[in-house]
Amino acid sequence: MKKTLLMVALILSSAALAKPYQYSAENTVSKSSDVKTGGTLRFTQNKDFDSYNPFVSAGRPSIPELVGYSGGLIAGKIEDLSEYEGFMAETFSVSANKRIYTFNLRPELKWSDGKAIVADDFILALRMFADPKMDDNFLSYMSDNGKPLTWKKLGERSFSITFPRATVQNTETVSYFYPVPSTIFGPLYAQGVDAVKKFWDINTDPTQIVVAGAFKPSRYVKGGHLSAGHP
């Protein structure tokens, strides 16, 4: 899946505050007490969407971009895009040599099927991004001058990513990474790339799709008409 946000600078910060993520009040004209939740989000385009599968979908816009992922490990601060803060990561830190990024995921994170989002979901995604047979759009980000990125699981909700060298691009690259449900894609990936690519095609019942974002597909009508609601 192509990246949806363009983050432009670097922060070598230790970490975001350990609390559920909330946008700054300065970034909205609404009071928190006025915000309404629920409802249905509808998308229409002049062609059919191609797939629910983030490893297959190549259209712009794509369903995984629109409803599957509303943010990654870290996000650029709206008030200052030169700085990053934790999003799915409750805390993150960067090593003194500016190569090792360590993340601790928020404990409240869940997939739309109710399962917890854990380190294994990011580790599997990184493995799949880096697999040349997957031919994923992130493949070019998974190495630097022929040397691969590496990663390590540190705990149920913690892991690290190590870059071959320190560059200003590293933090921006981290901001693109998203998880995949390892309990679903893990067994498929073990069967091979073809099994992954055939999964969640556009004829799949949208209620069966599992997402990490704010909206879950609820109905799709050929011709580019997609409805989604809050999981």
Side-chain angles (χ1 to χ4, degrees), residues 19 21 68-75 85-91 103-111 117-118 121-122 157 159 177-180 211-213:
K19 62 181 181 179
Y21 184 83
Y69 306 96
S70 55
L73 285 164
I74 60 176
E85 59 187 349
F87 192 82
M88 297 183 82
E90 182 176 61
T91 62
F103 305 94
N104 295 289
L105 299 177
R106 298 181 185 279
E108 68 270 20
L109 295 177
K110 293 185 182 299
W111 294 101
I117 297 175
V118 293
D121 300 322
F122 279 95
R157 293 195 303 270
F159 63 99
F177 293 149
Y178 59 86
V180 296
V211 300

PDB file of all heavy atoms in Angstrom, residues 19 21 68-75 85-91 103-111 117-118 121-122 157 159 177-180 211-213:
ATOM      1  N   LYS A  19      -0.228   8.034  27.341  1.00  0.00           N
ATOM      2  CA  LYS A  19      -1.671   8.150  27.491  1.00  0.00           C
ATOM      3  C   LYS A  19      -2.299   7.958  26.121  1.00  0.00           C
ATOM      4  O   LYS A  19      -1.617   8.053  25.100  1.00  0.00           O
ATOM      5  CB  LYS A  19      -2.048   9.522  28.059  1.00  0.00           C
ATOM      6  CG  LYS A  19      -1.664  10.691  27.167  1.00  0.00           C
ATOM      7  CD  LYS A  19      -2.054  12.014  27.798  1.00  0.00           C
ATOM      8  CE  LYS A  19      -1.692  13.185  26.906  1.00  0.00           C
ATOM      9  NZ  LYS A  19      -2.077  14.475  27.497  1.00  0.00           N
ATOM     10  N   TYR A  21      -3.746   8.394  22.578  1.00  0.00           N
ATOM     11  CA  TYR A  21      -3.425   9.474  21.656  1.00  0.00           C
ATOM     12  C   TYR A  21      -4.614  10.405  21.479  1.00  0.00           C
ATOM     13  O   TYR A  21      -5.743   9.979  21.317  1.00  0.00           O
ATOM     14  CB  TYR A  21      -3.017   8.918  20.295  1.00  0.00           C
ATOM     15  CG  TYR A  21      -2.577  10.003  19.343  1.00  0.00           C
ATOM     16  CD1 TYR A  21      -1.285  10.497  19.380  1.00  0.00           C
ATOM     17  CD2 TYR A  21      -3.475  10.559  18.441  1.00  0.00           C
ATOM     18  CE1 TYR A  21      -0.875  11.510  18.531  1.00  0.00           C
ATOM     19  CE2 TYR A  21      -3.080  11.572  17.583  1.00  0.00           C
ATOM     20  CZ  TYR A  21      -1.783  12.042  17.630  1.00  0.00           C
ATOM     21  OH  TYR A  21      -1.388  13.042  16.799  1.00  0.00           O
ATOM     22  N   GLY A  68      -8.505   1.385   6.359  1.00  0.00           N
ATOM     23  CA  GLY A  68      -7.789   0.401   7.149  1.00  0.00           C
ATOM     24  C   GLY A  68      -6.860   0.949   8.193  1.00  0.00           C
ATOM     25  O   GLY A  68      -6.717   0.396   9.276  1.00  0.00           O
ATOM     26  N   TYR A  69      -6.186   2.063   7.887  1.00  0.00           N
ATOM     27  CA  TYR A  69      -5.132   2.535   8.771  1.00  0.00           C
ATOM     28  C   TYR A  69      -5.217   4.045   8.911  1.00  0.00           C
ATOM     29  O   TYR A  69      -5.091   4.777   7.939  1.00  0.00           O
ATOM     30  CB  TYR A  69      -3.763   2.132   8.221  1.00  0.00           C
ATOM     31  CG  TYR A  69      -3.683   0.651   7.972  1.00  0.00           C
ATOM     32  CD1 TYR A  69      -3.924   0.136   6.708  1.00  0.00           C
ATOM     33  CD2 TYR A  69      -3.448  -0.227   9.014  1.00  0.00           C
ATOM     34  CE1 TYR A  69      -3.906  -1.232   6.486  1.00  0.00           C
ATOM     35  CE2 TYR A  69      -3.427  -1.590   8.806  1.00  0.00           C
ATOM     36  CZ  TYR A  69      -3.655  -2.089   7.539  1.00  0.00           C
ATOM     37  OH  TYR A  69      -3.649  -3.428   7.330  1.00  0.00           O
ATOM     38  N   SER A  70      -5.442   4.506  10.116  1.00  0.00           N
ATOM     39  CA  SER A  70      -5.567   5.948  10.337  1.00  0.00           C
ATOM     40  C   SER A  70      -4.283   6.550  10.887  1.00  0.00           C
ATOM     41  O   SER A  70      -4.219   7.742  11.147  1.00  0.00           O
ATOM     42  CB  SER A  70      -6.725   6.230  11.305  1.00  0.00           C
ATOM     43  OG  SER A  70      -6.555   5.517  12.513  1.00  0.00           O
ATOM     44  N   GLY A  71      -3.260   5.745  11.048  1.00  0.00           N
ATOM     45  CA  GLY A  71      -1.988   6.255  11.541  1.00  0.00           C
ATOM     46  C   GLY A  71      -1.019   5.116  11.750  1.00  0.00           C
ATOM     47  O   GLY A  71      -1.408   3.950  11.788  1.00  0.00           O
ATOM     48  N   GLY A  72       0.266   5.425  11.878  1.00  0.00           N
ATOM     49  CA  GLY A  72       1.274   4.399  12.069  1.00  0.00           C
ATOM     50  C   GLY A  72       1.853   4.444  13.458  1.00  0.00           C
ATOM     51  O   GLY A  72       1.224   4.891  14.419  1.00  0.00           O
ATOM     52  N   LEU A  73       3.088   4.002  13.585  1.00  0.00           N
ATOM     53  CA  LEU A  73       3.759   3.994  14.880  1.00  0.00           C
ATOM     54  C   LEU A  73       3.901   5.392  15.445  1.00  0.00           C
ATOM     55  O   LEU A  73       3.668   5.632  16.635  1.00  0.00           O
ATOM     56  CB  LEU A  73       5.144   3.361  14.735  1.00  0.00           C
ATOM     57  CG  LEU A  73       5.188   1.851  14.590  1.00  0.00           C
ATOM     58  CD1 LEU A  73       6.547   1.412  14.072  1.00  0.00           C
ATOM     59  CD2 LEU A  73       4.875   1.188  15.929  1.00  0.00           C
ATOM     60  N   ILE A  74       4.300   6.326  14.601  1.00  0.00           N
ATOM     61  CA  ILE A  74       4.463   7.720  15.005  1.00  0.00           C
ATOM     62  C   ILE A  74       3.791   8.600  13.960  1.00  0.00           C
ATOM     63  O   ILE A  74       3.523   8.167  12.845  1.00  0.00           O
ATOM     64  CB  ILE A  74       5.952   8.107  15.152  1.00  0.00           C
ATOM     65  CG1 ILE A  74       6.700   7.909  13.828  1.00  0.00           C
ATOM     66  CG2 ILE A  74       6.611   7.294  16.267  1.00  0.00           C
ATOM     67  CD1 ILE A  74       8.156   8.365  13.866  1.00  0.00           C
ATOM     68  N   ALA A  75       3.533   9.839  14.328  1.00  0.00           N
ATOM     69  CA  ALA A  75       2.887  10.771  13.415  1.00  0.00           C
ATOM     70  C   ALA A  75       3.498  12.151  13.577  1.00  0.00           C
ATOM     71  O   ALA A  75       3.907  12.535  14.676  1.00  0.00           O
ATOM     72  CB  ALA A  75       1.382  10.833  13.691  1.00  0.00           C
ATOM     73  N   GLU A  85       5.474  12.514  17.162  1.00  0.00           N
ATOM     74  CA  GLU A  85       5.020  12.017  18.454  1.00  0.00           C
ATOM     75  C   GLU A  85       4.468  10.611  18.271  1.00  0.00           C
ATOM     76  O   GLU A  85       4.147  10.187  17.153  1.00  0.00           O
ATOM     77  CB  GLU A  85       3.944  12.931  19.041  1.00  0.00           C
ATOM     78  CG  GLU A  85       2.718  13.085  18.159  1.00  0.00           C
ATOM     79  CD  GLU A  85       1.754  14.130  18.683  1.00  0.00           C
ATOM     80  OE1 GLU A  85       1.938  14.578  19.825  1.00  0.00           O
ATOM     81  OE2 GLU A  85       0.820  14.494  17.961  1.00  0.00           O
ATOM     82  N   GLY A  86       4.362   9.858  19.364  1.00  0.00           N
ATOM     83  CA  GLY A  86       3.824   8.513  19.281  1.00  0.00           C
ATOM     84  C   GLY A  86       2.381   8.531  18.833  1.00  0.00           C
ATOM     85  O   GLY A  86       1.604   9.410  19.207  1.00  0.00           O
ATOM     86  N   PHE A  87       2.010   7.564  18.005  1.00  0.00           N
ATOM     87  CA  PHE A  87       0.618   7.404  17.598  1.00  0.00           C
ATOM     88  C   PHE A  87       0.175   6.019  18.063  1.00  0.00           C
ATOM     89  O   PHE A  87      -0.364   5.884  19.137  1.00  0.00           O
ATOM     90  CB  PHE A  87       0.482   7.580  16.083  1.00  0.00           C
ATOM     91  CG  PHE A  87      -0.950   7.721  15.633  1.00  0.00           C
ATOM     92  CD1 PHE A  87      -1.590   8.949  15.702  1.00  0.00           C
ATOM     93  CD2 PHE A  87      -1.661   6.629  15.144  1.00  0.00           C
ATOM     94  CE1 PHE A  87      -2.921   9.081  15.299  1.00  0.00           C
ATOM     95  CE2 PHE A  87      -2.987   6.752  14.738  1.00  0.00           C
ATOM     96  CZ  PHE A  87      -3.620   7.984  14.816  1.00  0.00           C
ATOM     97  N   MET A  88       0.442   4.968  17.308  1.00  0.00           N
ATOM     98  CA  MET A  88       0.191   3.627  17.824  1.00  0.00           C
ATOM     99  C   MET A  88       1.222   3.263  18.891  1.00  0.00           C
ATOM    100  O   MET A  88       0.973   2.422  19.753  1.00  0.00           O
ATOM    101  CB  MET A  88       0.200   2.610  16.684  1.00  0.00           C
ATOM    102  CG  MET A  88      -0.902   2.841  15.663  1.00  0.00           C
ATOM    103  SD  MET A  88      -0.975   1.594  14.358  1.00  0.00           S
ATOM    104  CE  MET A  88      -1.887   0.311  15.204  1.00  0.00           C
ATOM    105  N   ALA A  89       2.377   3.896  18.821  1.00  0.00           N
ATOM    106  CA  ALA A  89       3.383   3.711  19.865  1.00  0.00           C
ATOM    107  C   ALA A  89       3.062   4.629  21.041  1.00  0.00           C
ATOM    108  O   ALA A  89       2.898   5.832  20.873  1.00  0.00           O
ATOM    109  CB  ALA A  89       4.770   4.035  19.326  1.00  0.00           C
ATOM    110  N   GLU A  90       2.971   4.059  22.223  1.00  0.00           N
ATOM    111  CA  GLU A  90       2.767   4.856  23.431  1.00  0.00           C
ATOM    112  C   GLU A  90       4.029   5.662  23.722  1.00  0.00           C
ATOM    113  O   GLU A  90       3.977   6.837  24.074  1.00  0.00           O
ATOM    114  CB  GLU A  90       2.428   3.948  24.603  1.00  0.00           C
ATOM    115  CG  GLU A  90       2.159   4.691  25.905  1.00  0.00           C
ATOM    116  CD  GLU A  90       1.731   3.732  27.005  1.00  0.00           C
ATOM    117  OE1 GLU A  90       2.523   2.831  27.352  1.00  0.00           O
ATOM    118  OE2 GLU A  90       0.615   3.894  27.515  1.00  0.00           O
ATOM    119  N   THR A  91       5.174   5.005  23.557  1.00  0.00           N
ATOM    120  CA  THR A  91       6.461   5.687  23.692  1.00  0.00           C
ATOM    121  C   THR A  91       7.389   5.179  22.599  1.00  0.00           C
ATOM    122  O   THR A  91       7.253   4.051  22.109  1.00  0.00           O
ATOM    123  CB  THR A  91       7.129   5.422  25.058  1.00  0.00           C
ATOM    124  OG1 THR A  91       7.408   4.019  25.206  1.00  0.00           O
ATOM    125  CG2 THR A  91       6.238   5.893  26.198  1.00  0.00           C
ATOM    126  N   PHE A 103      10.126   0.877  20.214  1.00  0.00           N
ATOM    127  CA  PHE A 103       8.714   1.250  20.336  1.00  0.00           C
ATOM    128  C   PHE A 103       8.020   0.410  21.395  1.00  0.00           C
ATOM    129  O   PHE A 103       8.259  -0.792  21.510  1.00  0.00           O
ATOM    130  CB  PHE A 103       7.991   1.035  19.004  1.00  0.00           C
ATOM    131  CG  PHE A 103       8.631   1.735  17.851  1.00  0.00           C
ATOM    132  CD1 PHE A 103       9.552   1.068  17.050  1.00  0.00           C
ATOM    133  CD2 PHE A 103       8.348   3.060  17.566  1.00  0.00           C
ATOM    134  CE1 PHE A 103      10.168   1.705  15.984  1.00  0.00           C
ATOM    135  CE2 PHE A 103       8.958   3.709  16.509  1.00  0.00           C
ATOM    136  CZ  PHE A 103       9.866   3.028  15.715  1.00  0.00           C
ATOM    137  N   ASN A 104       7.157   1.067  22.136  1.00  0.00           N
ATOM    138  CA  ASN A 104       6.262   0.398  23.068  1.00  0.00           C
ATOM    139  C   ASN A 104       4.839   0.757  22.664  1.00  0.00           C
ATOM    140  O   ASN A 104       4.450   1.935  22.710  1.00  0.00           O
ATOM    141  CB  ASN A 104       6.535   0.841  24.505  1.00  0.00           C
ATOM    142  CG  ASN A 104       7.915   0.405  24.977  1.00  0.00           C
ATOM    143  OD1 ASN A 104       8.166  -0.764  25.196  1.00  0.00           O
ATOM    144  ND2 ASN A 104       8.812   1.370  25.112  1.00  0.00           N
ATOM    145  N   LEU A 105       4.068  -0.240  22.246  1.00  0.00           N
ATOM    146  CA  LEU A 105       2.735   0.002  21.729  1.00  0.00           C
ATOM    147  C   LEU A 105       1.744   0.331  22.835  1.00  0.00           C
ATOM    148  O   LEU A 105       1.880  -0.131  23.971  1.00  0.00           O
ATOM    149  CB  LEU A 105       2.237  -1.227  20.962  1.00  0.00           C
ATOM    150  CG  LEU A 105       3.062  -1.646  19.744  1.00  0.00           C
ATOM    151  CD1 LEU A 105       2.491  -2.927  19.146  1.00  0.00           C
ATOM    152  CD2 LEU A 105       3.099  -0.541  18.699  1.00  0.00           C
ATOM    153  N   ARG A 106       0.750   1.109  22.479  1.00  0.00           N
ATOM    154  CA  ARG A 106      -0.308   1.444  23.432  1.00  0.00           C
ATOM    155  C   ARG A 106      -1.095   0.179  23.797  1.00  0.00           C
ATOM    156  O   ARG A 106      -1.495  -0.584  22.910  1.00  0.00           O
ATOM    157  CB  ARG A 106      -1.258   2.479  22.821  1.00  0.00           C
ATOM    158  CG  ARG A 106      -0.566   3.791  22.488  1.00  0.00           C
ATOM    159  CD  ARG A 106      -1.538   4.810  21.900  1.00  0.00           C
ATOM    160  NE  ARG A 106      -0.829   6.006  21.494  1.00  0.00           N
ATOM    161  CZ  ARG A 106      -0.455   6.988  22.302  1.00  0.00           C
ATOM    162  NH1 ARG A 106      -0.750   6.905  23.590  1.00  0.00           N
ATOM    163  NH2 ARG A 106       0.197   8.038  21.859  1.00  0.00           N
ATOM    164  N   PRO A 107      -1.347  -0.055  25.076  1.00  0.00           N
ATOM    165  CA  PRO A 107      -2.034  -1.294  25.481  1.00  0.00           C
ATOM    166  C   PRO A 107      -3.482  -1.354  25.036  1.00  0.00           C
ATOM    167  O   PRO A 107      -4.058  -2.439  24.962  1.00  0.00           O
ATOM    168  CB  PRO A 107      -1.918  -1.271  27.012  1.00  0.00           C
ATOM    169  CG  PRO A 107      -1.726   0.174  27.367  1.00  0.00           C
ATOM    170  CD  PRO A 107      -0.933   0.758  26.240  1.00  0.00           C
ATOM    171  N   GLU A 108      -4.090  -0.211  24.708  1.00  0.00           N
ATOM    172  CA  GLU A 108      -5.504  -0.206  24.335  1.00  0.00           C
ATOM    173  C   GLU A 108      -5.745  -0.506  22.862  1.00  0.00           C
ATOM    174  O   GLU A 108      -6.893  -0.628  22.418  1.00  0.00           O
ATOM    175  CB  GLU A 108      -6.147   1.146  24.689  1.00  0.00           C
ATOM    176  CG  GLU A 108      -5.666   2.327  23.862  1.00  0.00           C
ATOM    177  CD  GLU A 108      -4.471   3.044  24.451  1.00  0.00           C
ATOM    178  OE1 GLU A 108      -3.768   2.442  25.290  1.00  0.00           O
ATOM    179  OE2 GLU A 108      -4.230   4.206  24.061  1.00  0.00           O
ATOM    180  N   LEU A 109      -4.681  -0.662  22.067  1.00  0.00           N
ATOM    181  CA  LEU A 109      -4.839  -0.886  20.635  1.00  0.00           C
ATOM    182  C   LEU A 109      -5.495  -2.231  20.358  1.00  0.00           C
ATOM    183  O   LEU A 109      -5.090  -3.258  20.898  1.00  0.00           O
ATOM    184  CB  LEU A 109      -3.475  -0.860  19.943  1.00  0.00           C
ATOM    185  CG  LEU A 109      -2.707   0.461  19.945  1.00  0.00           C
ATOM    186  CD1 LEU A 109      -1.355   0.264  19.267  1.00  0.00           C
ATOM    187  CD2 LEU A 109      -3.495   1.558  19.237  1.00  0.00           C
ATOM    188  N   LYS A 110      -6.513  -2.212  19.474  1.00  0.00           N
ATOM    189  CA  LYS A 110      -7.193  -3.450  19.100  1.00  0.00           C
ATOM    190  C   LYS A 110      -7.536  -3.436  17.610  1.00  0.00           C
ATOM    191  O   LYS A 110      -7.788  -2.377  17.027  1.00  0.00           O
ATOM    192  CB  LYS A 110      -8.492  -3.635  19.912  1.00  0.00           C
ATOM    193  CG  LYS A 110      -8.270  -3.875  21.393  1.00  0.00           C
ATOM    194  CD  LYS A 110      -9.571  -4.161  22.102  1.00  0.00           C
ATOM    195  CE  LYS A 110      -9.362  -4.360  23.601  1.00  0.00           C
ATOM    196  NZ  LYS A 110      -8.483  -5.505  23.897  1.00  0.00           N
ATOM    197  N   TRP A 111      -7.546  -4.628  17.027  1.00  0.00           N
ATOM    198  CA  TRP A 111      -8.080  -4.803  15.692  1.00  0.00           C
ATOM    199  C   TRP A 111      -9.598  -4.735  15.760  1.00  0.00           C
ATOM    200  O   TRP A 111     -10.179  -4.844  16.847  1.00  0.00           O
ATOM    201  CB  TRP A 111      -7.637  -6.152  15.112  1.00  0.00           C
ATOM    202  CG  TRP A 111      -6.167  -6.256  14.875  1.00  0.00           C
ATOM    203  CD1 TRP A 111      -5.244  -6.889  15.649  1.00  0.00           C
ATOM    204  CD2 TRP A 111      -5.443  -5.689  13.775  1.00  0.00           C
ATOM    205  NE1 TRP A 111      -3.990  -6.748  15.120  1.00  0.00           N
ATOM    206  CE2 TRP A 111      -4.078  -6.024  13.956  1.00  0.00           C
ATOM    207  CE3 TRP A 111      -5.810  -4.945  12.656  1.00  0.00           C
ATOM    208  CZ2 TRP A 111      -3.096  -5.628  13.067  1.00  0.00           C
ATOM    209  CZ3 TRP A 111      -4.826  -4.554  11.761  1.00  0.00           C
ATOM    210  CH2 TRP A 111      -3.486  -4.896  11.957  1.00  0.00           C
ATOM    211  N   ILE A 117      -3.614  -5.456  19.178  1.00  0.00           N
ATOM    212  CA  ILE A 117      -2.543  -5.191  18.221  1.00  0.00           C
ATOM    213  C   ILE A 117      -1.229  -5.274  18.989  1.00  0.00           C
ATOM    214  O   ILE A 117      -1.019  -4.547  19.959  1.00  0.00           O
ATOM    215  CB  ILE A 117      -2.707  -3.811  17.566  1.00  0.00           C
ATOM    216  CG1 ILE A 117      -4.005  -3.757  16.760  1.00  0.00           C
ATOM    217  CG2 ILE A 117      -1.512  -3.477  16.674  1.00  0.00           C
ATOM    218  CD1 ILE A 117      -4.310  -2.397  16.164  1.00  0.00           C
ATOM    219  N   VAL A 118      -0.359  -6.179  18.563  1.00  0.00           N
ATOM    220  CA  VAL A 118       0.854  -6.476  19.326  1.00  0.00           C
ATOM    221  C   VAL A 118       2.087  -6.378  18.423  1.00  0.00           C
ATOM    222  O   VAL A 118       1.982  -6.161  17.213  1.00  0.00           O
ATOM    223  CB  VAL A 118       0.764  -7.887  19.953  1.00  0.00           C
ATOM    224  CG1 VAL A 118      -0.324  -7.925  21.027  1.00  0.00           C
ATOM    225  CG2 VAL A 118       0.497  -8.949  18.893  1.00  0.00           C
ATOM    226  N   ASP A 121       2.391  -8.208  15.079  1.00  0.00           N
ATOM    227  CA  ASP A 121       1.694  -7.668  13.910  1.00  0.00           C
ATOM    228  C   ASP A 121       2.596  -6.733  13.113  1.00  0.00           C
ATOM    229  O   ASP A 121       2.519  -6.688  11.876  1.00  0.00           O
ATOM    230  CB  ASP A 121       0.422  -6.934  14.349  1.00  0.00           C
ATOM    231  CG  ASP A 121      -0.554  -7.838  15.083  1.00  0.00           C
ATOM    232  OD1 ASP A 121      -0.678  -9.015  14.683  1.00  0.00           O
ATOM    233  OD2 ASP A 121      -1.181  -7.382  16.057  1.00  0.00           O
ATOM    234  N   PHE A 122       3.437  -5.977  13.795  1.00  0.00           N
ATOM    235  CA  PHE A 122       4.400  -5.115  13.101  1.00  0.00           C
ATOM    236  C   PHE A 122       5.583  -5.932  12.566  1.00  0.00           C
ATOM    237  O   PHE A 122       6.050  -5.680  11.451  1.00  0.00           O
ATOM    238  CB  PHE A 122       4.904  -4.018  14.034  1.00  0.00           C
ATOM    239  CG  PHE A 122       3.970  -2.854  14.158  1.00  0.00           C
ATOM    240  CD1 PHE A 122       3.057  -2.780  15.195  1.00  0.00           C
ATOM    241  CD2 PHE A 122       3.990  -1.819  13.227  1.00  0.00           C
ATOM    242  CE1 PHE A 122       2.180  -1.706  15.304  1.00  0.00           C
ATOM    243  CE2 PHE A 122       3.130  -0.744  13.330  1.00  0.00           C
ATOM    244  CZ  PHE A 122       2.219  -0.685  14.369  1.00  0.00           C
ATOM    245  N   ARG A 157       4.378  -6.158  23.458  1.00  0.00           N
ATOM    246  CA  ARG A 157       4.004  -4.903  22.812  1.00  0.00           C
ATOM    247  C   ARG A 157       5.215  -4.015  22.527  1.00  0.00           C
ATOM    248  O   ARG A 157       5.053  -2.812  22.312  1.00  0.00           O
ATOM    249  CB  ARG A 157       2.994  -4.138  23.679  1.00  0.00           C
ATOM    250  CG  ARG A 157       1.631  -4.801  23.802  1.00  0.00           C
ATOM    251  CD  ARG A 157       0.580  -3.843  24.347  1.00  0.00           C
ATOM    252  NE  ARG A 157       0.952  -3.293  25.628  1.00  0.00           N
ATOM    253  CZ  ARG A 157       0.645  -3.845  26.801  1.00  0.00           C
ATOM    254  NH1 ARG A 157      -0.043  -4.980  26.833  1.00  0.00           N
ATOM    255  NH2 ARG A 157       1.024  -3.293  27.928  1.00  0.00           N
ATOM    256  N   PHE A 159       9.175  -3.598  20.458  1.00  0.00           N
ATOM    257  CA  PHE A 159      10.116  -4.099  19.460  1.00  0.00           C
ATOM    258  C   PHE A 159      11.011  -2.950  19.026  1.00  0.00           C
ATOM    259  O   PHE A 159      10.763  -1.778  19.337  1.00  0.00           O
ATOM    260  CB  PHE A 159       9.376  -4.690  18.247  1.00  0.00           C
ATOM    261  CG  PHE A 159       8.542  -3.705  17.478  1.00  0.00           C
ATOM    262  CD1 PHE A 159       9.016  -3.119  16.310  1.00  0.00           C
ATOM    263  CD2 PHE A 159       7.269  -3.360  17.913  1.00  0.00           C
ATOM    264  CE1 PHE A 159       8.246  -2.213  15.600  1.00  0.00           C
ATOM    265  CE2 PHE A 159       6.492  -2.458  17.212  1.00  0.00           C
ATOM    266  CZ  PHE A 159       6.980  -1.873  16.046  1.00  0.00           C
ATOM    267  N   PHE A 177       5.266   2.828   8.453  1.00  0.00           N
ATOM    268  CA  PHE A 177       5.029   1.415   8.734  1.00  0.00           C
ATOM    269  C   PHE A 177       3.707   1.197   9.466  1.00  0.00           C
ATOM    270  O   PHE A 177       3.376   1.917  10.415  1.00  0.00           O
ATOM    271  CB  PHE A 177       6.169   0.835   9.570  1.00  0.00           C
ATOM    272  CG  PHE A 177       7.484   0.779   8.849  1.00  0.00           C
ATOM    273  CD1 PHE A 177       8.684   0.908   9.551  1.00  0.00           C
ATOM    274  CD2 PHE A 177       7.542   0.608   7.479  1.00  0.00           C
ATOM    275  CE1 PHE A 177       9.902   0.845   8.883  1.00  0.00           C
ATOM    276  CE2 PHE A 177       8.755   0.551   6.803  1.00  0.00           C
ATOM    277  CZ  PHE A 177       9.937   0.677   7.510  1.00  0.00           C
ATOM    278  N   TYR A 178       2.967   0.203   9.026  1.00  0.00           N
ATOM    279  CA  TYR A 178       1.690  -0.138   9.642  1.00  0.00           C
ATOM    280  C   TYR A 178       1.679  -1.641   9.953  1.00  0.00           C
ATOM    281  O   TYR A 178       2.462  -2.411   9.390  1.00  0.00           O
ATOM    282  CB  TYR A 178       0.522   0.224   8.716  1.00  0.00           C
ATOM    283  CG  TYR A 178       0.562  -0.461   7.368  1.00  0.00           C
ATOM    284  CD1 TYR A 178       0.021  -1.736   7.186  1.00  0.00           C
ATOM    285  CD2 TYR A 178       1.130   0.165   6.261  1.00  0.00           C
ATOM    286  CE1 TYR A 178       0.056  -2.369   5.961  1.00  0.00           C
ATOM    287  CE2 TYR A 178       1.166  -0.463   5.027  1.00  0.00           C
ATOM    288  CZ  TYR A 178       0.626  -1.733   4.881  1.00  0.00           C
ATOM    289  OH  TYR A 178       0.663  -2.356   3.665  1.00  0.00           O
ATOM    290  N   PRO A 179       0.801  -2.093  10.840  1.00  0.00           N
ATOM    291  CA  PRO A 179       0.752  -3.520  11.186  1.00  0.00           C
ATOM    292  C   PRO A 179      -0.200  -4.287  10.268  1.00  0.00           C
ATOM    293  O   PRO A 179      -1.038  -3.696   9.575  1.00  0.00           O
ATOM    294  CB  PRO A 179       0.206  -3.490  12.614  1.00  0.00           C
ATOM    295  CG  PRO A 179      -0.761  -2.323  12.589  1.00  0.00           C
ATOM    296  CD  PRO A 179      -0.114  -1.294  11.681  1.00  0.00           C
ATOM    297  N   VAL A 180      -0.075  -5.600  10.276  1.00  0.00           N
ATOM    298  CA  VAL A 180      -1.075  -6.479   9.670  1.00  0.00           C
ATOM    299  C   VAL A 180      -1.469  -7.506  10.723  1.00  0.00           C
ATOM    300  O   VAL A 180      -0.651  -7.849  11.595  1.00  0.00           O
ATOM    301  CB  VAL A 180      -0.542  -7.189   8.409  1.00  0.00           C
ATOM    302  CG1 VAL A 180      -0.230  -6.171   7.320  1.00  0.00           C
ATOM    303  CG2 VAL A 180       0.672  -8.043   8.700  1.00  0.00           C
ATOM    304  N   VAL A 211      -9.525  -4.538  10.346  1.00  0.00           N
ATOM    305  CA  VAL A 211      -8.759  -3.305  10.159  1.00  0.00           C
ATOM    306  C   VAL A 211      -8.279  -2.764  11.500  1.00  0.00           C
ATOM    307  O   VAL A 211      -8.783  -3.115  12.561  1.00  0.00           O
ATOM    308  CB  VAL A 211      -9.601  -2.223   9.439  1.00  0.00           C
ATOM    309  CG1 VAL A 211     -10.040  -2.706   8.070  1.00  0.00           C
ATOM    310  CG2 VAL A 211     -10.799  -1.800  10.279  1.00  0.00           C
ATOM    311  N   ALA A 212      -7.298  -1.850  11.410  1.00  0.00           N
ATOM    312  CA  ALA A 212      -6.774  -1.198  12.610  1.00  0.00           C
ATOM    313  C   ALA A 212      -7.221   0.251  12.685  1.00  0.00           C
ATOM    314  O   ALA A 212      -6.952   0.932  13.668  1.00  0.00           O
ATOM    315  CB  ALA A 212      -5.253  -1.259  12.625  1.00  0.00           C
ATOM    316  N   GLY A 213      -7.866   0.751  11.639  1.00  0.00           N
ATOM    317  CA  GLY A 213      -8.205   2.163  11.563  1.00  0.00           C
ATOM    318  C   GLY A 213      -9.560   2.493  12.162  1.00  0.00           C
ATOM    319  O   GLY A 213     -10.227   1.658  12.771  1.00  0.00           O
TER     320      GLY A 213
END
